[in-house]
Amino acid sequence: MKPCINNVRRRATYCLNKKRDVFISTENEEETEKSCEVMVNERNDSDDRIAVGILAADRPEYLYSLLDSIRKQSTDKFDLFIFVDRIDGNDDNKKVINVARDFPKADVRVVDLPDAPIGVARLTFWAIRTMFGHRNQYNSILVLEDDHLIGHTYIEAMRLLLGAAEHMDDVAVVNGNFMNTPKNQKTTQRYKMKPVFMERDDENCLFQVAPLISIPEINSHNVWAWATTREKWSRVDSDMAIALEESGLNKDNYDDRDKRKIVQIMDNVCPQTGYRKWAGQDWLRACIFHSHSMTFKLQPTERFMTYIGKEGIHMDEKRFERSGFNSTTAVDVSHSLKNFSSNLCRKTCILSKGS
């Protein structure tokens, strides 16, 4: 595979063409790959259940569509939690609660605080702690928002990815939201940013270990629809709680957050990294993972989830389309998992920035 070399005419070059071992290598490459497959499949074959949490508020149609995908998943080794932010006097919020409570076997939790609605940052943190704290029975969690639409193999794919990630100490999360990424000598333009040049080896790189810090520069490398393990989250939980408190996100409604405080915290926790470009809870969480030497995320180079509609994202229509968020159907992002483990162990590459 060719090295990643920066093109001086462009702002940056990202390359996906350097193989990354999922596990510590042995002298025999074939033995290493076989061992990798066994360990990845062990998690999927085990009886361990993953806790799947959906964050919802006032979009009943979106929640209904996501739950339809949940109903059609290729595995049943998960338990569903639905966390609803309460909005008093809002008819759509009432519909969301009814849709959630009508779903079989869902553990529905509605915010019961005097200052509700609490917003997505507090709702997310509450969901994470609730799922990991629930009888201490879950070793991994998957966090979805109501405008996410997952393919019918998404949860099983996340279980397999977690089987690899738990042995990769520098990987924080896994997800399947790889989209609109340029292939082989093409460029992409993110809103108000210069194009980024991308080199990809699509034959040998079917999975990528992507730096979390690439999020600000390449619009496809976000941290939505993500999953992690109990051990990884335990390293950041207390710092995340402190960050929420110091930023005011543990009290403020998310729309009214103090962005200056959030940026200040990121400057202190992960200085000179670039996360500060967006004063939001996603990048704050990524920053804290980064500060604990978990600087990557693991994902396939094929899209396993999508978005239900542009109303769910703070973008105008043109920006929405330019960023590659055009919605599709769950069927279109439902992929076979044949050879998934084998390819994960043999065809995982590092997304690296040119030097």
Side-chain angles (χ1 to χ4, degrees):
M1 294 186 182
K2 56 191 175 184
C4 186
I5 302 172
N6 193 45
N7 187 318
V8 294
R9 292 177 297 175
R10 296 180 172 87
R11 182 174 180 271
T13 300
Y14 275 94
C15 300
L16 184 62
N17 56 25
K18 181 180 179 183
K19 186 172 180 181
R20 161 75 183 255
D21 287 326
V22 174
F23 299 99
I24 297 173
S25 300
T26 65
E27 291 183 4
N28 186 316
E29 184 177 348
E30 187 174 339
E31 285 182 6
T32 299
E33 290 173 348
K34 285 182 179 178
S35 174
C36 168
E37 282 188 62
V38 169
M39 296 180 79
V40 168
N41 286 319
E42 272 182 355
R43 169 179 277 273
N44 201 42
D45 294 340
S46 74
D47 292 328
D48 282 353
R49 301 178 72 78
I50 184 172
V52 177
I54 298 175
L55 312 178
D58 59 355
R59 297 182 290 201
E61 295 84 3
Y62 284 13
L63 178 60
Y64 186 86
S65 295
L66 174 53
L67 289 175
D68 187 57
S69 266
I70 294 287
R71 189 180 286 110
K72 297 173 181 176
Q73 288 300 299
S74 58
T75 181
D76 60 0
K77 294 179 180 179
F78 66 94
D79 294 318
L80 182 67
F81 294 77
I82 305 176
F83 300 90
V84 183
D85 200 359
R86 193 186 81 244
I87 308 173
D88 290 335
N90 184 296
D91 289 341
D92 283 335
N93 184 241
K94 291 176 184 177
K95 290 178 184 176
V96 162
I97 294 172
N98 289 334
V99 169
R101 287 177 173 163
D102 285 344
F103 194 81
K105 297 183 179 180
D107 186 337
V108 181
R109 310 287 182 101
V110 181
V111 172
D112 186 20
L113 293 171
D115 59 342
I118 60 175
V120 68
R122 293 167 68 186
L123 192 67
T124 302
F125 193 59
W126 176 48
I128 295 167
R129 281 193 157 178
T130 298
M131 289 189 287
F132 276 135
H134 187 75
R135 303 173 186 169
N136 284 325
Q137 72 182 88
Y138 300 111
N139 290 316
S140 55
I141 63 168
L142 167 62
V143 181
L144 303 170
E145 295 177 31
D146 59 0
D147 59 345
H148 297 166
L149 190 60
I150 59 175
H152 299 158
T153 55
Y154 195 85
I155 295 177
E156 188 173 358
M158 294 305 103
R159 285 173 59 89
L160 289 165
L161 288 173
L162 286 167
E166 66 183 353
H167 299 283
M168 303 168 78
D169 197 55
D170 55 359
V171 169
V173 298
V174 304
N175 81 350
N177 191 30
F178 186 91
M179 59 187 196
N180 195 36
T181 302
K183 297 181 180 180
N184 303 333
Q185 313 287 321
K186 293 183 180 178
T187 60
T188 186
Q189 177 146 10
R190 190 164 186 252
Y191 183 65
K192 292 184 178 178
M193 296 183 73
K194 294 179 180 179
V196 175
F197 188 69
M198 176 74 80
E199 291 180 353
R200 277 177 55 177
D201 182 340
D202 291 336
E203 182 179 346
N204 294 301
C205 299
L206 299 182
F207 295 84
Q208 68 166 210
V209 176
L212 290 174
I213 196 54
S214 66
I215 298 166
E217 291 189 327
I218 306 177
N219 63 9
S220 62
H221 302 285
N222 53 55
V223 284
W224 297 321
W226 57 277
T228 194
T229 65
R230 175 184 293 276
E231 188 279 328
K232 291 179 186 295
W233 182 259
S234 68
R235 290 189 247 167
V236 301
D237 180 87
S238 59
D239 282 351
M240 192 69 200
I242 292 169
L244 290 175
E245 182 177 358
E246 292 182 350
S247 66
L249 283 174
N250 67 326
K251 294 179 181 178
D252 297 340
N253 184 295
Y254 192 65
D255 289 340
D256 301 325
R257 66 191 183 275
D258 188 331
K259 295 180 181 180
R260 179 186 56 82
K261 283 185 179 179
I262 297 171
V263 168
Q264 245 177 13
I265 289 168
M266 288 194 278
D267 283 342
N268 292 334
V269 173
C270 50
Q272 299 179 325
T273 55
Y275 293 108
R276 72 190 308 276
K277 292 179 181 178
W278 178 255
Q281 59 113 13
D282 284 333
W283 290 11
L284 177 61
R285 186 171 57 248
C287 165
I288 292 172
F289 271 123
H290 187 111
S291 72
H292 285 266
S293 301
M294 290 179 281
T295 57
F296 294 95
K297 70 191 203 67
L298 175 64
Q299 62 188 12
T301 57
E302 190 170 31
R303 188 177 178 183
F304 275 68
M305 63 86 66
T306 182
Y307 292 86
I308 293 172
K310 60 179 174 293
E311 294 85 358
I313 298 180
H314 43 271
M315 296 182 180
D316 60 44
E317 188 170 356
K318 288 184 179 179
R319 181 182 173 191
F320 181 86
E321 293 175 354
R322 185 167 63 243
S323 296
F325 292 139
N326 296 338
S327 60
T328 182
T329 66
V331 173
D332 289 337
V333 288
S334 298
H335 305 294
S336 168
L337 298 183
K338 184 180 179 181
N339 299 324
F340 192 93
S341 299
S342 173
N343 288 331
L344 176 58
C345 294
R346 291 169 168 78
K347 297 185 177 183
T348 293
C349 298
I350 302 169
L351 179 72
S352 57
K353 196 169 183 178
S355 57

